[in-house]
Amino acid sequence: MKKILLIVGVLLQLPVLLAQAQTEIALQNDFADDYYPVWQRACAYLLDVAEAMPADLYEYQPTEDIFTFKEQLMHTAANLYWLNATYIAGEEMEELNLEAEGKDKEDVIELLRTVIAKVDASYQAMASGEENETVRLFNRMETNKKRVLMLMRDHMTHHRGQLVIYLRMNGIEPPAYVGW
């Protein structure tokens, strides 16, 4: 019985220990230091939501005029990828198939992980003060890289909220929310 209690105790502490270990990385700027834990939790929750939907329901679409579950995820990935390449990393976009057609659940989740890793690398590598560098968002308004990164998180949160509704409409309990 003591062994079981010990194992349960360790398992309950494991997420806390992993979260602490994840935040102990060397970041190049104060903004990244603040943004890192928030972004990591937001992305982990998005991936948990993506995992929660069974593969055979990735084509689920509540009405004909809105995205399927898979299209919601692909739209989110494409937006994060484009905003990061265009405004944060300032790099040419490599060929990445961001179309939903022909992708299954595993493909979509792997693509999300790839895009998230690219965003991670970009904001973590910014030099101190670079987060305040001016960019012209959508060729219309001046803002800075920090605000673009926050826009990316907000956009992801917007679509993740819709995905939670899709889960509930299919009788699936969404993963527990991971907040602050």
Side-chain angles (χ1 to χ4, degrees):
M1 183 66 167
K2 288 183 181 180
K3 281 185 178 181
I4 292 173
L5 289 175
L6 177 63
I7 291 171
V8 169
V10 169
L11 289 175
L12 289 174
Q13 290 299 313
L14 191 58
V16 173
L17 295 172
L18 288 174
Q20 288 173 342
Q22 285 180 338
T23 58
E24 294 174 11
I25 63 171
L27 299 172
Q28 303 300 309
N29 61 77
D30 289 340
F31 171 74
D33 195 43
D34 288 340
Y35 191 71
Y36 178 83
V38 176
W39 176 253
Q40 293 303 306
R41 284 190 298 273
C43 291
Y45 190 48
L46 175 66
L47 292 168
D48 287 348
V49 168
E51 290 282 0
M53 183 66 94
D56 63 325
L57 291 175
Y58 257 56
E59 297 296 336
Y60 174 74
Q61 184 177 25
T63 64
E64 290 182 18
D65 59 333
I66 61 175
F67 286 146
T68 65
F69 188 86
K70 176 172 60 173
E71 289 168 339
Q72 289 274 10
L73 290 168
M74 292 302 297
H75 169 76
T76 302
N79 179 265
L80 293 174
Y81 184 71
W82 180 77
L83 286 169
N84 182 63
T86 305
Y87 300 108
I88 307 303
E91 63 189 28
E92 289 291 319
M93 291 175 50
E94 66 184 70
E95 275 302 310
L96 202 59
N97 181 357
L98 296 166
E99 296 297 322
E101 187 68 35
K103 288 189 175 50
D104 62 15
K105 177 179 178 174
E106 292 77 26
D107 296 333
V108 171
I109 291 172
E110 181 58 34
L111 182 66
L112 280 169
R113 289 182 194 284
T114 297
V115 170
I116 289 167
K118 287 182 175 299
V119 175
D120 283 341
S122 294
Y123 77 80
Q124 290 175 21
M126 288 190 308
S128 184
E130 186 180 342
E131 71 275 13
N132 296 314
E133 183 179 298
T134 301
V135 295
R136 190 153 183 83
L137 188 62
F138 307 122
N139 261 347
R140 290 188 303 220
M141 60 184 282
E142 284 191 3
T143 190
N144 60 37
K145 289 183 176 188
K146 176 171 43 178
R147 288 193 177 119
V148 173
L149 284 158
M150 291 188 188
L151 167 66
M152 292 164 70
R153 192 185 78 218
D154 286 349
H155 186 256
M156 177 174 55
T157 300
H158 166 72
H159 288 286
R160 190 181 63 214
Q162 293 171 330
L163 293 167
V164 166
I165 300 300
Y166 285 32
L167 291 173
R168 289 195 181 279
M169 291 178 79
N170 283 282
I172 300 165
E173 181 72 23
Y177 176 66
V178 181
W180 298 97

